[in-house]
Amino acid sequence: SQKIEQNSEALNIQEGKTATLTCNYTNYSPAYLQWYRQDPGRGPVFLLLIRENEKEKRKERLKVTFDTTLKQSLFHITASQPADSATYLCALRNKFYFGSGTKLNVKP
Amino acid sequence: NAGVTQTPKFRVLKTGQSMTLLCAQDMNHEYMYWYRQDPGMGLRLIHYSVGEGTTAKGEVPDGYNVSRLKKQNFLLGLESAAPSQTSVYFCASSYSELVSTDTQYFGPGTRLTVL
């Protein structure tokens, strides 16, 4: 069965540093992958999409990589700010699979 | 635009009771989805619809029914609630499933507790 793994442990980093979150998947080869942000008590909000033939995608301070050989996506937030504190979910599309998310805490 | 709205925001049911959750979107999206989110489990798809009058099963459909009589509305029904259905329910919509237009827009969620 499909399995998406995101680090369930919270990631704590200092403001200004780069946060790197990991999404690993098995038993499936998605055509593309998405990253969402979820704040407490709210629904997820779309951030970035990366296709299988794209190695890297950027949007402002966000960067996503997609390694179909390793079956892994990395999500980076550079120059992190306390406002970036949230849970970040990866999603494999075509099959509507979401990871359980990694909580990011950025400390001032 | 209100985006995706969900009614109610909170609900407490007793085992065996029934209820309907309403999702509405004003973006003219074709696709609509119902997910449940449990701690450590992530979002799991219950049912989805690819257009008015259509529905399909997702990963965890048992105990739920859905209807899409109007394009803008997607209803999720629990006929006989069970404690295992205690969860936060999210509705989402998207224009289509094509890569370029597949962004899902989520509602604020409904927190359901079944005693």
Side-chain angles (χ1 to χ4, degrees):
Chain A
S1 62
Q2 175 59 43
K3 195 170 184 180
I4 307 173
E5 290 184 351
Q6 291 187 259
N7 194 343
S8 59
E9 291 184 11
L11 177 63
N12 299 305
I13 65 169
Q14 205 67 32
E15 182 176 7
K17 301 294 185 182
T18 295
T20 298
L21 308 177
T22 304
C23 175
N24 294 299
Y25 59 92
T26 59
N27 299 334
Y28 186 62
S29 296
Y32 56 105
L33 183 148
Q34 296 174 326
W35 283 88
Y36 287 78
R37 168 182 173 142
Q38 186 173 23
D39 291 288
R42 294 178 174 267
V45 175
F46 172 78
L47 295 175
L48 278 170
L49 176 152
I50 186 165
R51 295 173 173 78
E52 60 179 340
N53 59 351
E54 297 176 317
K55 295 297 182 185
E56 181 179 297
K57 200 76 169 281
R58 290 176 184 264
K59 179 183 178 182
E60 298 173 352
R61 294 185 296 112
L62 308 181
K63 185 179 83 172
V64 173
T65 63
F66 195 10
D67 188 327
T68 54
T69 301
L70 293 179
K71 292 187 181 294
Q72 180 181 81
S73 175
L74 299 179
F75 177 81
H76 306 272
I77 305 176
T78 58
S80 60
Q81 305 166 0
D84 295 326
S85 298
T87 297
Y88 292 86
L89 311 173
C90 68
L92 303 185
R93 300 302 291 133
N94 301 101
K95 293 294 183 182
F96 312 112
Y97 294 130
F98 278 81
S100 57
T102 298
K103 186 175 182 181
L104 173 65
N105 296 314
V106 181
K107 300 181 179 180
Chain B
N1 287 349
V4 179
T5 57
Q6 292 183 232
T7 308
K9 288 184 170 54
F10 303 93
R11 185 71 185 268
V12 177
L13 290 178
K14 294 181 180 178
T15 298
Q17 288 185 319
S18 63
M19 78 163 295
T20 300
L21 282 67
L22 171 64
C23 175
Q25 53 93 5
D26 61 2
M27 297 172 281
N28 200 34
H29 283 169
E30 291 292 334
Y31 282 59
M32 295 188 75
Y33 316 79
W34 275 108
Y35 293 89
R36 60 178 290 173
Q37 188 174 39
D38 303 291
M41 299 290 290
L43 288 160
R44 290 182 292 169
L45 184 67
I46 304 171
H47 287 280
Y48 65 101
S49 168
V50 301
E52 181 178 319
T54 74
T55 63
K57 293 180 180 180
E59 184 184 1
V60 289
D62 295 340
Y64 306 94
N65 56 77
V66 289
S67 63
R68 183 113 181 257
L69 299 179
K70 293 183 178 180
K71 186 177 183 179
Q72 63 268 32
N73 295 335
F74 195 27
L75 278 64
L76 177 70
L78 287 74
E79 291 188 348
S80 179
S84 61
Q85 294 178 305
T86 293
S87 186
V88 180
Y89 291 85
F90 286 100
C91 176
S93 70
S94 66
Y95 180 67
S96 75
E97 206 183 10
L98 298 175
V99 173
S100 60
T101 55
D102 181 42
T103 300
Q104 290 196 348
Y105 295 83
F106 283 83
T110 294
R111 186 172 294 275
L112 175 66
T113 301
V114 183
L115 302 175

